[in-house]
Amino acid sequence: MSTTVIPDGKPSVASGFLATPITYLKGVGPRLAVRLRKLGVETVQDLLFHLPARYQDRTKIVPIGTVRPGDEAVVRGEVLHSEVRRGRRPVLLCRISDGTGSLTLRFFHFSVKQQESLVRGRLLRCFGEVRRGASTLEIIHPEYKVSEREATENGEQYLTPVYPSTEGLHQLTLRSLTDRVLERLDTGTGLQEWLPPEILQPLRLPSLVEAGSFSTASRSPSRRLPRWPPPSARRRLRSRPAPDRVP
């Protein structure tokens, strides 16, 4: 399988798209490429078949007062107080509350801009594993975003994939790259189907693009997917031929 190159030097979405080096994807520089290589991801095809190890259910926002240590939960609360506590290493602490309870967000790695954004009165939607802190429940390095006060927010529409990773490689990066590849493949080009319809239909197997979308639980609004990846999708991706046998 060869990569088709257009005049500006960038690979096009053609039959060789899957063989394209991962560095051709926007945002993949030398440092990120090294980290991906540790996972065996060197081409677009490697990324597509780097399957999630598990899924997180972020589809519901739960009251803070109901969470317990060990829960992975999405909560929405107002910032009551934030401070940088000095010690052997600075720690950014942010207390949030939703009226049913409160918890502390703890950051060991943070920027001045991040610190300045977590001001009193700001609403945050956060996800992470709840732990028992010294005085309150807390989440260490949650994924969060600023929430609009007037908005009635729900959780994510689909399950969130969690990929096998390595040090310095964030889950958000892997999800973004995988979604980008699937968006390209949604055009119907670039991924050659290995099985004819007369085999797929009786066995109720999805196409390879559909199987990839199901198994990565993509959150793209252009796809109407069930929240749980069906077994048929996982079965298709696990049974792919060896790379040297791909047409």
Side-chain angles (χ1 to χ4, degrees), residues 2 10 16 24 61 69 73 82 98 105 167 180 207 210 225 229-230 247:
S2 60
K10 297 179 181 179
Y24 277 105
I61 297 177
S82 65
D98 66 354
L105 312 178
E167 184 177 357
R180 203 176 307 160
S207 70
E210 291 170 335
L225 303 178

Side-chain angles (χ1 to χ4, degrees), residues 8 18 27 39 55 70 75 79 103 105 108 179 208-209 236 239:
D8 64 1
L18 291 184
L39 299 174
Y55 299 89
V75 298
V79 176
L103 58 75
L105 312 178
F108 294 105
D179 275 350
L208 280 177
V209 172
R236 276 241 56 193
S239 62

Side-chain angles (χ1 to χ4, degrees), residues 124-229:
L124 303 177
R125 191 178 81 176
C126 314
F127 172 81
E129 182 180 347
V130 180
R131 303 187 180 191
R132 193 180 302 279
S135 57
T136 65
L137 296 179
E138 63 182 30
I139 300 178
I140 298 177
H141 280 288
E143 291 184 28
Y144 74 93
K145 68 176 183 178
V146 175
S147 178
E148 297 296 330
R149 188 169 294 277
E150 303 80 12
T152 302
E153 289 196 35
N154 297 314
E156 299 287 354
Q157 188 175 1
Y158 305 114
L159 295 178
T160 301
V162 179
Y163 296 93
S165 189
T166 187
E167 184 177 357
L169 184 55
H170 201 282
Q171 289 292 321
L172 290 173
T173 301
L174 288 169
R175 290 179 207 136
S176 176
L177 291 175
T178 302
D179 275 350
R180 203 176 307 160
V181 169
L182 289 170
E183 289 290 347
R184 297 280 295 273
L185 295 178
D186 269 350
T187 62
T189 60
L191 183 58
Q192 182 175 346
E193 180 55 68
W194 298 323
L195 299 178
E198 53 266 29
I199 292 180
L200 292 176
Q201 293 172 3
L203 296 176
R204 294 187 175 183
L205 292 175
S207 70
L208 280 177
V209 172
E210 291 170 335
S213 297
F214 281 132
S215 291
T216 56
S218 172
R219 295 161 291 170
S220 169
S222 65
R223 304 189 186 93
R224 305 302 179 193
L225 303 178
R227 284 166 52 184
W228 289 99

Side-chain angles (χ1 to χ4, degrees), residues 109-123:
H109 306 285
F110 59 92
S111 64
V112 173
K113 183 177 179 180
Q114 182 180 14
Q115 177 186 349
E116 293 174 347
S117 71
L118 298 178
V119 295
R120 181 181 176 87
R122 178 152 288 174
L123 279 178

Side-chain angles (χ1 to χ4, degrees), residues 21-37 41-42 44 47 169 173 176-178 180-181:
I22 197 69
T23 50
Y24 277 105
L25 291 182
K26 184 178 179 180
V28 181
R31 183 175 300 178
L32 178 54
V34 169
R35 291 170 178 162
L36 289 169
R37 194 174 301 120
V41 176
E42 298 188 39
V44 170
L47 178 65
L169 184 55
T173 301
S176 176
L177 291 175
T178 302
R180 203 176 307 160
V181 169

Side-chain angles (χ1 to χ4, degrees), residues 1 45-46 194 240-247:
M1 186 182 296
Q45 175 174 282
D46 294 335
W194 298 323
R240 69 188 179 102
D244 59 351
R245 295 165 62 184
V246 176

Side-chain angles (χ1 to χ4, degrees), residues 52-93:
R54 62 188 180 94
Y55 299 89
Q56 292 171 333
D57 189 350
R58 306 186 186 186
T59 59
K60 295 180 181 178
I61 297 177
V62 301
I64 293 176
T66 66
V67 300
R68 297 293 181 267
D71 289 350
E72 286 188 330
V74 181
V75 298
R76 183 171 183 255
E78 179 179 338
V79 176
L80 300 180
H81 175 73
S82 65
E83 65 172 330
V84 175
R85 186 167 297 175
R86 305 293 176 178
R88 286 193 304 173
R89 57 188 301 186
V91 179
L92 174 59
L93 302 175

